[in-house]
Amino acid sequence: MDRELSKSEVKQRQSKVAIKYILMGLLVVVMLLLLRWIITPKLDADRVVVSIAEQGRIEDALSATGVVIPEFEQVITSPIQSRIEAVYFEAGAQVSKGSQILLMNKESITLRLESQKEQLELLKNRKLQLDLQLEKNRNELQAQYDIYTLKIDLNESKLNLRERLHKIGAETKDMLDQARLNLKIAKRERELLGSQMDNDERRLQADLKEVDLQVAIQRKEILELERQMERSAIKADRDGVITWVKNDIGATVLPGAVVARVADLRTYKIEARISDIHVTRLKIGGPVKVRANDHDLPGNISSIIPTVENGVVSFLVDLEDNADINLRSNLRVDVFVITSFKDDVIRAENGPYINGSGPQDIFILKDKIAHRQRVVVGATNLDHVEFISGVAPGDRLIVTDMEDYIHLDQIEID
């Protein structure tokens, strides 16, 4: 037969049930914590790189590639078709101004020069003959002109005499008319001779002018050949280093063919290339930053090549310090064309954790837990990235590539 439990027994049983539930609750909590510890991934601190957000300036820049080239380079071409007979300096050799680099065969140009000089002497002789002919014609025609003048004077005297005789009836009218006609004929003959003198003078003067022009042309051709003869010595115009030379002895080179290059390796400039989609954002004088051997060099765009090749535009950059020790000929460098800049923005180091501009998720480290955070990215360059929202100064951002963990809310960094 059941009996009623005492109050003490009821309390004792209730205590046991409460303790049981408490123990079960503690067990559930422990299991949850253990499960969370098991499920929450961990990363070694050595595997992540952290950047602290700060307030500062950021430059919005276009990335381009470039190569260091000498600021001054003499490209030496052959002025004539010739043959290489000797090479005095190889590529990499130091040369001074006036040093002869190559010896070219000058036989053909020497023969041409001698032939042109002979042609000039013939033209000078032709001019001398024309001068003598002109002088001879002048003397002969002037003598004839003087004779006709004397004839006119004689006919005028005869006419005056016949006019006086005709007045006293001692001369017939026919004889008087004949005297007048003879005077007119003499004057007409002298007039015709004067015209002939002028025509001969102009003709010979024209011939002389033509010969003078031929002489001038011939002299210019001789000067050009002499200049080509001098240039065929293939000399350096300034102190420098031979960057390339055609050292194929016996090879025939055509006029205008490059035979050597001499560069002044004390100063440099940058030849850069960028996609043609950015050509509208390039401008002469625009600021540029060149990174050579992890050293930044400021500069400006000096010229933009107007042609596009394979979707790429080339431009030249003048550096503020074109003799920096980090510059080497043919060194490949990174070029950043600065299109705008902002002051007092929240920025952090750029890295693989950033995927362009706009909204994206990153991880911010607090204590030893990396929390996923939605942020909005603004301007970027090789060094920094701007955060429009989601990041505050002093936040510790994980800049390592976290693509494999981006689906998680948090990660333990141990």
Side-chain angles (χ1 to χ4, degrees):
M1 178 177 183
D2 295 332
R3 65 182 180 87
E4 185 177 352
L5 297 175
S6 66
K7 290 182 179 180
S8 60
E9 291 177 337
V10 171
K11 287 182 179 181
Q12 187 177 5
R13 288 189 176 188
Q14 288 177 347
S15 298
K16 290 181 179 180
V17 171
I19 292 172
K20 179 179 178 181
Y21 282 117
I22 291 173
L23 291 174
M24 291 178 63
L26 290 174
L27 180 62
V28 169
V29 170
V30 171
M31 292 180 64
L32 288 175
L33 291 175
L34 181 61
L35 183 63
R36 180 179 177 182
W37 179 81
I38 296 173
I39 294 178
T40 301
K42 292 184 179 181
L43 279 177
D44 292 336
D46 296 338
R47 296 180 57 188
V48 298
V49 178
V50 177
S51 173
I52 300 177
E54 62 180 2
Q55 199 161 7
R57 177 173 177 168
I58 189 169
E59 297 169 338
D60 194 4
L62 303 174
S63 296
T65 59
V67 61
V68 179
I69 60 175
E71 188 172 19
F72 301 103
E73 184 176 43
Q74 178 192 4
V75 180
I76 306 176
T77 60
S78 175
I80 58 174
Q81 180 173 340
S82 183
R83 187 178 68 255
I84 299 176
E85 292 190 343
V87 179
Y88 298 128
F89 294 96
E90 296 290 342
Q94 291 275 353
V95 292
S96 56
K97 182 179 180 181
S99 298
Q100 186 170 358
I101 302 171
L102 294 173
L103 176 63
M104 310 292 290
N105 184 280
K106 301 180 182 179
E107 183 178 350
S108 61
I109 193 172
T110 301
L111 292 176
R112 287 173 56 195
L113 183 58
E114 291 176 354
S115 176
Q116 293 295 334
K117 288 182 177 179
E118 291 173 355
Q119 291 292 329
L120 178 60
E121 292 301 321
L122 289 175
L123 288 173
K124 289 181 179 179
N125 186 57
R126 172 65 177 160
K127 180 181 179 182
L128 179 60
Q129 291 178 353
L130 288 174
D131 285 333
L132 294 174
Q133 183 67 36
L134 178 60
E135 187 65 24
K136 178 184 176 182
N137 288 357
R138 282 175 180 171
N139 293 335
E140 291 178 353
L141 293 175
Q142 187 62 47
Q144 294 181 27
Y145 190 86
D146 293 342
I147 292 173
Y148 279 116
T149 301
L150 292 174
K151 285 183 178 181
I152 290 173
D153 293 342
L154 177 60
N155 286 325
E156 285 180 344
S157 299
K158 290 181 178 180
L159 178 60
N160 291 333
L161 177 60
R162 292 185 185 279
E163 285 178 345
R164 289 196 299 271
L165 291 175
H166 181 69
K167 287 181 181 180
I168 62 176
E171 186 68 84
T172 64
K173 186 176 183 303
D174 291 339
M175 296 299 292
L176 179 60
D177 292 340
Q178 183 64 43
R180 288 174 177 167
L181 180 59
N182 290 338
L183 179 60
K184 288 183 180 180
I185 291 173
K187 288 183 177 179
R188 181 58 179 163
E189 288 178 341
R190 190 181 69 172
E191 181 181 348
L192 291 174
L193 183 60
S195 298
Q196 181 182 351
M197 290 176 65
D198 291 340
N199 290 336
D200 286 351
E201 178 80 14
R202 286 195 294 269
R203 178 178 59 80
L204 290 173
Q205 289 291 351
D207 290 343
L208 281 171
K209 185 176 181 180
E210 180 181 354
V211 173
D212 285 339
L213 288 174
Q214 291 176 348
V215 169
I217 293 172
Q218 198 70 20
R219 283 175 175 165
K220 288 181 180 178
E221 290 180 355
I222 290 174
L223 287 175
E224 176 62 21
L225 287 175
E226 290 176 342
R227 187 179 68 86
Q228 291 180 3
M229 176 81 80
E230 182 180 357
R231 287 181 55 211
S232 64
I234 313 298
K235 297 180 179 180
D237 288 346
R238 62 171 67 210
D239 297 343
V241 176
I242 297 178
T243 57
W244 181 83
V245 65
K246 187 175 180 63
N247 56 359
D248 190 3
I249 297 177
T252 299
V253 293
L254 299 176
V258 178
V259 294
R261 296 176 184 270
V262 179
D264 184 352
L265 299 185
R266 293 173 296 182
T267 57
Y268 299 90
K269 60 184 176 181
I270 307 299
E271 185 181 53
R273 294 162 60 87
I274 196 171
S275 173
D276 61 347
I277 63 175
H278 301 302
V279 66
T280 56
R281 303 179 69 180
L282 301 179
K283 61 180 180 179
I284 302 297
V288 172
K289 183 167 64 175
V290 176
R291 180 159 296 171
N293 294 328
D294 296 327
H295 185 72
D296 291 340
L297 302 173
N300 299 93
I301 298 176
S302 60
S303 63
I304 302 172
I305 309 303
T307 57
V308 177
E309 295 183 3
N310 299 323
V312 174
V313 175
S314 299
F315 59 96
L316 298 178
V317 176
D318 287 340
L319 300 171
E320 292 183 8
D321 184 6
N322 56 13
D324 190 274
I325 60 174
N326 292 282
L327 298 174
R328 294 290 184 273
S329 183
N330 294 324
L331 175 68
R332 297 202 172 274
V333 295
D334 294 318
V335 179
F336 306 100
V337 181
I338 300 172
T339 57
S340 63
F341 62 88
K342 301 177 183 178
D343 288 319
D344 297 327
V345 301
I346 299 174
R347 69 178 190 179
E349 292 182 13
N350 202 345
Y353 72 115
I354 294 298
N355 185 21
S357 301
Q360 53 193 282
D361 291 331
I362 67 171
F363 283 95
I364 297 178
L365 186 61
K366 296 179 180 179
D367 295 329
K368 292 186 178 182
I369 303 298
H371 300 272
R372 189 178 66 185
Q373 175 70 38
R374 190 71 170 176
V375 299
V376 177
V377 176
T380 62
N381 57 39
L382 188 66
D383 298 318
H384 297 97
V385 56
E386 174 197 9
F387 292 99
I388 298 176
S389 64
V391 177
D395 284 349
R396 302 170 65 202
L397 282 60
I398 296 180
V399 301
T400 310
D401 184 6
M402 301 292 286
E403 183 66 25
D404 294 338
Y405 306 94
I406 202 65
H407 62 285
L408 300 174
D409 291 331
Q410 59 186 29
I411 304 170
E412 184 178 352
I413 306 299
D414 189 5

